Amino acid sequence: MELLENFKAIEVETPVDKIVRQIRKLIISGYLQPGDKLPSERKLSEKLGVGRTYIRDAIKKLEFVGILTTLPQSGVVVNGVDIAAMEGLLSNVMKIEKPDFFSLVETRVMMEKFSVRQAALRRSEVDIAAIQDALDQYKARVKKDLPAENEDFMFHLRIAEASQNSVIKTMMLIILPDIMKIYIEQKVCDEGRKNKRIEEHESILKAIIDGDGDKAEEHMLEHLHDVIEYSKIKL
Amino acid sequence: MELLENFKAIEVETPVDKIVRQIRKLIISGYLQPGDKLPSERKLSEKLGVGRTYIRDAIKKLEFVGILTTLPQSGVVVNGVDIAAMEGLLSNVMKIEKPDFFSLVETRVMMEKFSVRQAALRRSEVDIAAIQDALDQYKARVKKDLPAENEDFMFHLRIAEASQNSVIKTMMLIILPDIMKIYIEQKVCDEGRKNKRIEEHESILKAIIDGDGDKAEEHMLEHLHDVIEYSKIKL
DNA sequence: TTTAGTATTTTGGTCAACCAGTTTTTTGGG
DNA sequence: CCCAAAAAACTGGTTGACCAAAATACTAAA
């Protein structure tokens, strides 16, 4: 054992990270709502007593993970947690080798199976209400014949939340937008099956409420059946 | 349907993204090896005919995903794909809510089960050789009583590669370092069980070579047993 | 009073110069 | 010839000034 082994790496929080933390705090606390504009870079730099470069770097970091979006010559806005916000995060992380659609779907199925089973076993009343709410919004959009990808997305995300596994939730958040994007581009979803999809969502929710993990997984697989088949064709 | 609906968003590749792509190309092509130093920011900016700011931004992006590391006043080096390179990526992405260890392990078990089963069914001869190689390096380190976390990490990563699912591989790449970090800090791995771990690794590899998905999954669960138990205690 | 046009201010984007460490080269004493 | 110390060159870090586009305030005509 060398002497050097006794020294631990000193945690240095860079100025940028401090700023990142402050901005996040403002968002989490609700002081900054989705859609709000951040104060200008100059104002922030003056207020926080640091150079504008640090502010810009902090914004870039938050933009990279999808929390902020900068509009040139206009301002920086706070994103909501929806498809647009997270789109491409996986692509960013996976720049080296672009994900193929089959891998994407295969991974999704694995996660959804796990996620819905745990949700059935662990869900709280609040979770159920949140899923129900997402389902209602989805149904409302479909009835009006409006695009409902975002609402569909939220339904599955709420289930992941109900699984009480924060990592699974984050991974779903990363992977789902990339899949949805392909759905929309290639029109995988058959227009005529909208009502069938609603029924499937309802079956899944019912199984979760009943606490029936097996049933929940079964219904989820049924729900994902079309996508699985489609990904096999593309392969 | 409004008129505006007919217009698609125009894909604009920013100067920064172009530079990112070029640097990645140099790394993928093998011209830049792990450990190599990048040309200086000034040289790059001159060569590519863009301002140094763009170069710096591109480097920051690649640094964020763990491909590069900048040494202040010295240079920028290319990272290898190992723990140090990827450490904290998940933490970066998940800044909003820090992952708890239990979720981390639970997710890992789900992915490893899937990964090892697919590896057993889909592995090529090259994959087997790569896994065998990783195992040999692991054994060599253990025999010399050196820390072998990195080699352990590579063994599991090679299995994920053999599953032929690029998304799973990336997710393992994201999640494993965060788990390993906790292992090392808290000394989860019992020193005395090193030989047992080698045997387990060997069993897993054998099942993969035999193409026996059930056996492979079984051995993997056995291998992860200690960690699962530990994460329950911490809970 | 409304509104179209204009001037001003504010915004993020970009650049070039300078700073403080690191690395390499040069140098001079042994 | 060797090698330590000084000097030069080079590195990423930081700053402030300037740019063009966007947002705002203002003005004058209808």
Side-chain angles (χ1 to χ4, degrees), chain A residues 25-232:
Chain A
K25 210 164 141 191
L26 289 176
I27 296 174
I28 294 170
S29 73
Y31 186 78
L32 280 173
Q33 297 280 331
D36 284 357
K37 261 192 189 173
L38 233 61
S40 77
E41 294 179 357
R42 275 170 250 261
K43 297 258 177 66
L44 282 173
S45 108
E46 194 181 341
K47 192 78 182 176
L48 302 184
V50 299
R52 189 150 80 97
T53 308
Y54 289 136
I55 303 288
R56 304 198 88 240
D57 285 352
I59 291 173
K60 286 218 191 79
K61 247 188 169 166
L62 288 166
E63 189 171 9
F64 186 78
V65 298
I67 293 176
L68 301 177
T69 297
T70 94
L71 308 172
Q73 274 70 46
S74 171
V76 180
V77 299
V78 179
N79 287 325
V81 178
D82 64 359
I83 295 185
M86 278 300 182
E87 185 171 305
L89 214 176
L90 186 61
S91 317
N92 271 329
V93 175
M94 296 189 60
K95 277 239 167 79
I96 298 276
E97 43 195 323
K98 213 167 183 176
D100 56 295
F101 188 55
F102 183 75
S103 293
L104 228 33
V105 170
E106 193 175 72
T107 307
R108 178 189 175 182
V109 171
M110 172 193 71
M111 294 202 301
E112 294 262 25
K113 271 170 67 178
F114 180 87
S115 166
V116 79
R117 174 178 290 275
Q118 299 300 339
L121 303 177
R122 299 175 179 168
R123 82 287 182 284
S124 69
E125 292 306 313
V126 178
D127 291 326
I128 291 175
I131 300 172
Q132 180 73 62
D133 189 54
L135 179 53
D136 289 342
Q137 288 188 35
Y138 177 65
K139 281 157 77 175
R141 293 281 292 184
V142 171
K143 293 274 187 259
K144 288 180 193 166
D145 257 326
L146 293 167
E149 280 83 10
N150 212 10
E151 284 70 19
D152 189 13
F153 171 82
M154 287 309 292
F155 177 77
H156 289 274
L157 192 61
R158 293 281 171 249
I159 292 175
E161 263 171 8
S163 77
Q164 314 296 336
N165 184 312
S166 58
V167 177
I168 286 281
K169 183 194 156 195
T170 301
M171 300 224 150
M172 291 277 280
L173 211 53
I174 293 175
I175 205 180
L176 274 180
D178 285 80
I179 294 177
M180 293 276 174
K181 200 177 163 190
I182 299 177
Y183 277 31
I184 296 168
E185 278 170 5
Q186 319 220 351
K187 307 226 181 277
V188 178
C189 296
D190 191 338
E191 284 290 316
R193 295 198 178 172
K194 279 184 177 174
N195 285 321
K196 189 183 155 217
R197 302 199 90 75
I198 289 182
E199 282 171 25
E200 288 166 355
H201 275 200
E202 281 170 340
S203 303
I204 293 170
L205 175 54
K206 185 174 179 306
I208 292 175
I209 294 174
D210 293 345
D212 190 336
D214 292 332
K215 263 271 182 327
E217 190 175 317
E218 188 184 312
H219 286 307
M220 179 62 83
L221 275 179
E222 193 184 325
H223 180 53
L224 295 175
H225 176 266
D226 291 352
V227 199
I228 297 171
E229 288 307 312
Y230 183 77
S231 76
K232 282 180 185 163

Side-chain angles (χ1 to χ4, degrees), chain B residues 68-84:
Chain B
L68 300 176
T69 297
T70 93
L71 308 172
Q73 274 72 44
S74 171
V76 179
V77 300
V78 179
N79 286 325
V81 179
D82 64 0
I83 296 184

